[in-house]
PDB file of all heavy atoms in Angstrom:
ATOM      1  N   GLU Q 406      72.801  14.232  22.274  1.00 92.00           N
ATOM      2  CA  GLU Q 406      72.612  14.927  20.993  1.00 92.00           C
ATOM      3  C   GLU Q 406      73.004  14.071  19.791  1.00 92.00           C
ATOM      4  O   GLU Q 406      72.795  14.454  18.644  1.00 92.00           O
ATOM      5  CB  GLU Q 406      73.488  16.203  20.957  1.00 92.00           C
ATOM      6  CG  GLU Q 406      73.036  17.267  21.925  1.00 92.00           C
ATOM      7  CD  GLU Q 406      74.201  18.142  22.377  1.00 92.00           C
ATOM      8  OE1 GLU Q 406      75.170  18.270  21.614  1.00 92.00           O
ATOM      9  OE2 GLU Q 406      74.133  18.662  23.496  1.00 92.00           O
ATOM     10  N   HIS Q 407      73.596  12.921  20.072  1.00 94.00           N
ATOM     11  CA  HIS Q 407      74.271  12.203  19.006  1.00 94.00           C
ATOM     12  C   HIS Q 407      73.349  11.597  17.950  1.00 94.00           C
ATOM     13  O   HIS Q 407      73.579  11.731  16.750  1.00 94.00           O
ATOM     14  CB  HIS Q 407      75.157  11.110  19.621  1.00 94.00           C
ATOM     15  CG  HIS Q 407      75.836  10.272  18.596  1.00 94.00           C
ATOM     16  ND1 HIS Q 407      75.512   8.956  18.362  1.00 94.00           N
ATOM     17  CD2 HIS Q 407      76.798  10.573  17.696  1.00 94.00           C
ATOM     18  CE1 HIS Q 407      76.255   8.484  17.393  1.00 94.00           C
ATOM     19  NE2 HIS Q 407      77.049   9.437  16.964  1.00 94.00           N
ATOM     20  N   ARG Q 408      72.276  10.937  18.387  1.00 94.00           N
ATOM     21  CA  ARG Q 408      71.412  10.235  17.421  1.00 94.00           C
ATOM     22  C   ARG Q 408      70.897  11.198  16.352  1.00 94.00           C
ATOM     23  O   ARG Q 408      70.891  10.888  15.174  1.00 94.00           O
ATOM     24  CB  ARG Q 408      70.240   9.564  18.133  1.00 94.00           C
ATOM     25  CG  ARG Q 408      70.636   8.429  19.064  1.00 94.00           C
ATOM     26  CD  ARG Q 408      71.175   7.248  18.259  1.00 94.00           C
ATOM     27  NE  ARG Q 408      71.290   6.039  19.056  1.00 94.00           N
ATOM     28  CZ  ARG Q 408      72.357   5.702  19.791  1.00 94.00           C
ATOM     29  NH1 ARG Q 408      73.411   6.503  19.831  1.00 94.00           N
ATOM     30  NH2 ARG Q 408      72.385   4.573  20.472  1.00 94.00           N
ATOM     31  N   ARG Q 409      70.457  12.379  16.787  1.00 92.00           N
ATOM     32  CA  ARG Q 409      69.889  13.336  15.832  1.00 92.00           C
ATOM     33  C   ARG Q 409      70.964  13.786  14.821  1.00 92.00           C
ATOM     34  O   ARG Q 409      70.735  13.772  13.612  1.00 92.00           O
ATOM     35  CB  ARG Q 409      69.344  14.548  16.594  1.00 92.00           C
ATOM     36  CG  ARG Q 409      68.933  15.673  15.678  1.00 92.00           C
ATOM     37  CD  ARG Q 409      68.356  16.881  16.409  1.00 92.00           C
ATOM     38  NE  ARG Q 409      68.177  17.982  15.472  1.00 92.00           N
ATOM     39  CZ  ARG Q 409      69.083  18.932  15.266  1.00 92.00           C
ATOM     40  NH1 ARG Q 409      70.215  18.950  15.937  1.00 92.00           N
ATOM     41  NH2 ARG Q 409      68.850  19.884  14.370  1.00 92.00           N
ATOM     42  N   LEU Q 410      72.151  14.159  15.346  1.00 90.00           N
ATOM     43  CA  LEU Q 410      73.192  14.666  14.440  1.00 90.00           C
ATOM     44  C   LEU Q 410      73.653  13.573  13.476  1.00 90.00           C
ATOM     45  O   LEU Q 410      73.889  13.826  12.294  1.00 90.00           O
ATOM     46  CB  LEU Q 410      74.378  15.209  15.240  1.00 90.00           C
ATOM     47  CG  LEU Q 410      74.143  16.549  15.929  1.00 90.00           C
ATOM     48  CD1 LEU Q 410      75.358  16.966  16.748  1.00 90.00           C
ATOM     49  CD2 LEU Q 410      73.815  17.653  14.906  1.00 90.00           C
ATOM     50  N   ARG Q 411      73.763  12.360  13.974  1.00 91.00           N
ATOM     51  CA  ARG Q 411      74.223  11.270  13.104  1.00 91.00           C
ATOM     52  C   ARG Q 411      73.176  10.993  12.024  1.00 91.00           C
ATOM     53  O   ARG Q 411      73.519  10.788  10.859  1.00 91.00           O
ATOM     54  CB  ARG Q 411      74.532  10.013  13.935  1.00 91.00           C
ATOM     55  CG  ARG Q 411      75.086   8.890  13.083  1.00 91.00           C
ATOM     56  CD  ARG Q 411      76.040   7.989  13.819  1.00 91.00           C
ATOM     57  NE  ARG Q 411      76.475   6.909  12.953  1.00 91.00           N
ATOM     58  CZ  ARG Q 411      77.684   6.396  12.906  1.00 91.00           C
ATOM     59  NH1 ARG Q 411      78.642   6.869  13.655  1.00 91.00           N
ATOM     60  NH2 ARG Q 411      77.984   5.405  12.107  1.00 91.00           N
ATOM     61  N   ARG Q 412      71.911  11.013  12.422  1.00 90.00           N
ATOM     62  CA  ARG Q 412      70.842  10.762  11.442  1.00 90.00           C
ATOM     63  C   ARG Q 412      70.857  11.832  10.356  1.00 90.00           C
ATOM     64  O   ARG Q 412      70.738  11.545   9.166  1.00 90.00           O
ATOM     65  CB  ARG Q 412      69.493  10.728  12.171  1.00 90.00           C
ATOM     66  CG  ARG Q 412      68.293  10.462  11.284  1.00 90.00           C
ATOM     67  CD  ARG Q 412      67.003  10.310  12.069  1.00 90.00           C
ATOM     68  NE  ARG Q 412      66.803  11.275  13.143  1.00 90.00           N
ATOM     69  CZ  ARG Q 412      66.430  12.540  12.968  1.00 90.00           C
ATOM     70  NH1 ARG Q 412      66.191  13.002  11.758  1.00 90.00           N
ATOM     71  NH2 ARG Q 412      66.272  13.350  13.999  1.00 90.00           N
ATOM     72  N   LEU Q 413      71.056  13.077  10.756  1.00 86.00           N
ATOM     73  CA  LEU Q 413      71.028  14.165   9.775  1.00 86.00           C
ATOM     74  C   LEU Q 413      72.258  14.139   8.853  1.00 86.00           C
ATOM     75  O   LEU Q 413      72.195  14.570   7.706  1.00 86.00           O
ATOM     76  CB  LEU Q 413      70.920  15.519  10.485  1.00 86.00           C
ATOM     77  CG  LEU Q 413      69.546  15.793  11.118  1.00 86.00           C
ATOM     78  CD1 LEU Q 413      69.570  17.069  11.958  1.00 86.00           C
ATOM     79  CD2 LEU Q 413      68.468  15.904  10.044  1.00 86.00           C
ATOM     80  N   ALA Q 414      73.379  13.636   9.369  1.00 85.00           N
ATOM     81  CA  ALA Q 414      74.601  13.587   8.540  1.00 85.00           C
ATOM     82  C   ALA Q 414      74.651  12.329   7.673  1.00 85.00           C
ATOM     83  O   ALA Q 414      75.385  12.270   6.682  1.00 85.00           O
ATOM     84  CB  ALA Q 414      75.831  13.631   9.440  1.00 85.00           C
ATOM     85  N   GLN Q 415      73.855  11.323   8.025  1.00 86.00           N
ATOM     86  CA  GLN Q 415      73.928  10.004   7.372  1.00 86.00           C
ATOM     87  C   GLN Q 415      73.815  10.049   5.835  1.00 86.00           C
ATOM     88  O   GLN Q 415      74.556   9.339   5.145  1.00 86.00           O
ATOM     89  CB  GLN Q 415      72.852   9.084   7.953  1.00 86.00           C
ATOM     90  CG  GLN Q 415      73.052   7.603   7.664  1.00 86.00           C
ATOM     91  CD  GLN Q 415      74.297   7.055   8.365  1.00 86.00           C
ATOM     92  OE1 GLN Q 415      74.415   7.188   9.574  1.00 86.00           O
ATOM     93  NE2 GLN Q 415      75.218   6.495   7.605  1.00 86.00           N
ATOM     94  N   PRO Q 416      72.909  10.875   5.272  1.00 83.00           N
ATOM     95  CA  PRO Q 416      72.784  10.861   3.809  1.00 83.00           C
ATOM     96  C   PRO Q 416      74.097  11.159   3.085  1.00 83.00           C
ATOM     97  O   PRO Q 416      74.312  10.703   1.959  1.00 83.00           O
ATOM     98  CB  PRO Q 416      71.770  11.984   3.535  1.00 83.00           C
ATOM     99  CG  PRO Q 416      70.987  12.103   4.808  1.00 83.00           C
ATOM    100  CD  PRO Q 416      71.926  11.758   5.913  1.00 83.00           C
ATOM    101  N   ALA Q 417      74.993  11.870   3.740  1.00 83.00           N
ATOM    102  CA  ALA Q 417      76.284  12.174   3.108  1.00 83.00           C
ATOM    103  C   ALA Q 417      77.087  10.907   2.850  1.00 83.00           C
ATOM    104  O   ALA Q 417      77.968  10.879   1.996  1.00 83.00           O
ATOM    105  CB  ALA Q 417      77.088  13.111   4.017  1.00 83.00           C
ATOM    106  N   PHE Q 418      76.781   9.853   3.592  1.00 86.00           N
ATOM    107  CA  PHE Q 418      77.574   8.630   3.483  1.00 86.00           C
ATOM    108  C   PHE Q 418      76.753   7.484   2.899  1.00 86.00           C
ATOM    109  O   PHE Q 418      77.122   6.323   3.022  1.00 86.00           O
ATOM    110  CB  PHE Q 418      78.118   8.247   4.870  1.00 86.00           C
ATOM    111  CG  PHE Q 418      78.949   9.345   5.473  1.00 86.00           C
ATOM    112  CD1 PHE Q 418      78.417  10.214   6.412  1.00 86.00           C
ATOM    113  CD2 PHE Q 418      80.260   9.546   5.054  1.00 86.00           C
ATOM    114  CE1 PHE Q 418      79.179  11.248   6.934  1.00 86.00           C
ATOM    115  CE2 PHE Q 418      81.023  10.577   5.561  1.00 86.00           C
ATOM    116  CZ  PHE Q 418      80.485  11.432   6.508  1.00 86.00           C
ATOM    117  N   SER Q 419      75.622   7.814   2.263  1.00 86.00           N
ATOM    118  CA  SER Q 419      74.778   6.745   1.725  1.00 86.00           C
ATOM    119  C   SER Q 419      75.476   6.107   0.521  1.00 86.00           C
ATOM    120  O   SER Q 419      76.228   6.773  -0.202  1.00 86.00           O
ATOM    121  CB  SER Q 419      73.410   7.298   1.330  1.00 86.00           C
ATOM    122  OG  SER Q 419      73.560   8.040   0.152  1.00 86.00           O
ATOM    123  N   PRO Q 420      75.255   4.796   0.298  1.00 88.00           N
ATOM    124  CA  PRO Q 420      75.938   4.098  -0.793  1.00 88.00           C
ATOM    125  C   PRO Q 420      75.776   4.804  -2.131  1.00 88.00           C
ATOM    126  O   PRO Q 420      76.697   4.802  -2.956  1.00 88.00           O
ATOM    127  CB  PRO Q 420      75.253   2.726  -0.810  1.00 88.00           C
ATOM    128  CG  PRO Q 420      74.715   2.545   0.571  1.00 88.00           C
ATOM    129  CD  PRO Q 420      74.388   3.909   1.093  1.00 88.00           C
ATOM    130  N   ALA Q 421      74.630   5.464  -2.338  1.00 86.00           N
ATOM    131  CA  ALA Q 421      74.380   6.103  -3.628  1.00 86.00           C
ATOM    132  C   ALA Q 421      75.394   7.216  -3.923  1.00 86.00           C
ATOM    133  O   ALA Q 421      75.603   7.579  -5.077  1.00 86.00           O
ATOM    134  CB  ALA Q 421      72.966   6.691  -3.639  1.00 86.00           C
ATOM    135  N   ARG Q 422      76.019   7.757  -2.925  1.00 87.00           N
ATOM    136  CA  ARG Q 422      76.908   8.896  -3.153  1.00 87.00           C
ATOM    137  C   ARG Q 422      78.342   8.487  -3.511  1.00 87.00           C
ATOM    138  O   ARG Q 422      79.139   9.319  -3.954  1.00 87.00           O
ATOM    139  CB  ARG Q 422      76.946   9.781  -1.903  1.00 87.00           C
ATOM    140  CG  ARG Q 422      75.594  10.386  -1.561  1.00 87.00           C
ATOM    141  CD  ARG Q 422      75.767  11.679  -0.822  1.00 87.00           C
ATOM    142  NE  ARG Q 422      76.447  12.706  -1.584  1.00 87.00           N
ATOM    143  CZ  ARG Q 422      75.859  13.519  -2.436  1.00 87.00           C
ATOM    144  NH1 ARG Q 422      74.580  13.428  -2.668  1.00 87.00           N
ATOM    145  NH2 ARG Q 422      76.550  14.439  -3.069  1.00 87.00           N
TER     146      ARG Q 422
END
Side-chain angles (χ1 to χ4, degrees):
E406 292 152 27
H407 177 250
R408 294 292 193 272
R409 171 179 172 267
L410 286 177
R411 183 149 177 142
R412 181 175 43 77
L413 288 173
Q415 196 66 55
F418 302 99
S419 74
R422 297 207 62 85

